[in-house]
Amino acid sequence: MERLLLREDQLRSPEDRLRPDRIRSSCPVLLSQRLVMRAPHVEDIDALTHLANNAAVATMVSRMPHPYTAADAADFVRRSNLGEIGKCVYAITKGENGEFLGCCALEPHTDLETLEIGYWLGQPYWNQGYATEAAHALIDMAFRTRDIAFIDARCRVTNVAARRVIQKCGFQFQGSGMVGHLAARGMVPVEWYRLDRKTWMSLKSWGEMR
């Protein structure tokens, strides 16, 4: 069967094989009270560049270079829609006007029963509950549509706001360690948190938590 599927895929044109809607078929558009979360678009490049080219943001995101250029943003949009960055990468936008706020994503672990969530917002949108709202929507989608047992999250030990979002979503502290960091050009200390399916089921009526 695997060989048959591979042969059928090889018969498709390269353009069709790489269509974002095929690659992202398991990553539906997500709606919440104030947000629409969808695939990054070419039209996001200017806003993405403006928000990401900020040391206050880059120092808290392990895979974000600094300075962050339009070329970096274009490459991010291209690779996210080809499935080369994580499993589901979303642009976080305002539901009322489509304004680009930041990004979030799910990335699979090698053990297959765990996903890792990541997110960032542009500095003008901090402390308004957007990160928690986006995380709730992404967590709910992951547990409802995938046969997983856990979702992990990591944050820098100095990132108080990210830790608060993680804790408000029900994640429990597991330990600490070091990870590579592009902007810091080295290793930085992080905290590791985990949310299991049973805990999520007891908390899935997120309500107005922010």
Side-chain angles (χ1 to χ4, degrees), residues 96-117:
E96 61 184 17
N97 58 14
E99 184 178 358
F100 179 91
L101 309 183
C103 292
C104 60
L106 291 170
E107 182 173 346
H109 281 206
T110 55
D111 63 11
L112 302 180
E113 66 174 6
T114 306
L115 295 175
E116 183 160 341
I117 187 173

Side-chain angles (χ1 to χ4, degrees), residues 3-206:
R3 290 181 179 178
L4 177 60
L5 291 174
L6 178 60
R7 186 160 56 248
E8 289 178 350
D9 195 58
Q10 289 172 337
L11 292 175
R12 300 177 185 270
S13 69
E15 293 78 13
D16 186 55
R17 289 204 303 271
L18 297 179
R19 275 172 47 200
D21 61 328
R22 293 191 68 233
I23 295 170
R24 293 184 57 92
S25 60
S26 63
C27 305
V29 172
L30 303 178
L31 306 177
S32 65
Q33 183 179 357
R34 298 177 295 168
L35 302 175
V36 174
M37 297 159 60
R38 42 87 176 156
H41 295 163
V42 172
E43 292 78 12
D44 299 324
I45 289 175
D46 287 346
L48 171 57
T49 305
H50 173 69
L51 295 177
N53 189 33
N54 180 339
V57 174
T59 54
M60 297 302 172
V61 182
S62 62
R63 299 180 186 178
M64 182 179 288
H66 185 73
Y68 195 94
T69 68
D72 292 321
D75 187 59
F76 171 83
V77 170
R78 179 188 64 82
R79 293 198 299 137
S80 66
N81 282 288
L82 293 180
E84 296 177 0
I85 308 174
K87 181 64 176 176
C88 289
V89 179
Y90 286 96
I92 304 171
T93 68
K94 283 187 180 181
E96 61 184 17
N97 58 14
E99 184 178 358
F100 179 91
L101 309 183
C103 292
C104 60
L106 291 170
E107 182 173 346
H109 281 206
T110 55
D111 63 11
L112 302 180
E113 66 174 6
T114 306
L115 295 175
E116 183 160 341
I117 187 173
Y119 53 88
W120 68 269
L121 289 176
Q123 192 169 9
Y125 310 106
W126 292 359
N127 300 314
Q128 299 175 56
Y130 290 125
T132 302
E133 189 172 332
H136 284 171
L138 196 56
I139 291 165
D140 287 348
M141 183 276 288
F143 276 123
R144 286 171 175 160
T145 64
R146 288 160 171 74
D147 185 19
I148 58 170
F150 308 103
I151 298 177
D152 284 356
R154 287 175 172 79
C155 68
R156 289 194 67 170
V157 296
T158 55
N159 195 341
V160 176
R163 183 186 303 112
R164 182 169 178 266
V165 171
I166 289 169
Q167 292 173 339
K168 286 172 68 175
C169 289
F171 287 78
Q172 301 298 311
F173 179 75
Q174 302 294 310
S176 58
M178 304 289 289
V179 299
H181 194 282
L182 283 178
R185 295 176 174 83
M187 305 294 287
V188 299
V190 297
E191 295 175 347
W192 165 38
Y193 294 82
R194 170 164 283 184
L195 176 65
D196 62 75
R197 180 177 289 274
K198 183 177 179 180
T199 301
W200 167 75
M201 290 182 67
S202 70
L203 297 173
K204 62 184 178 179
S205 296
W206 301 110

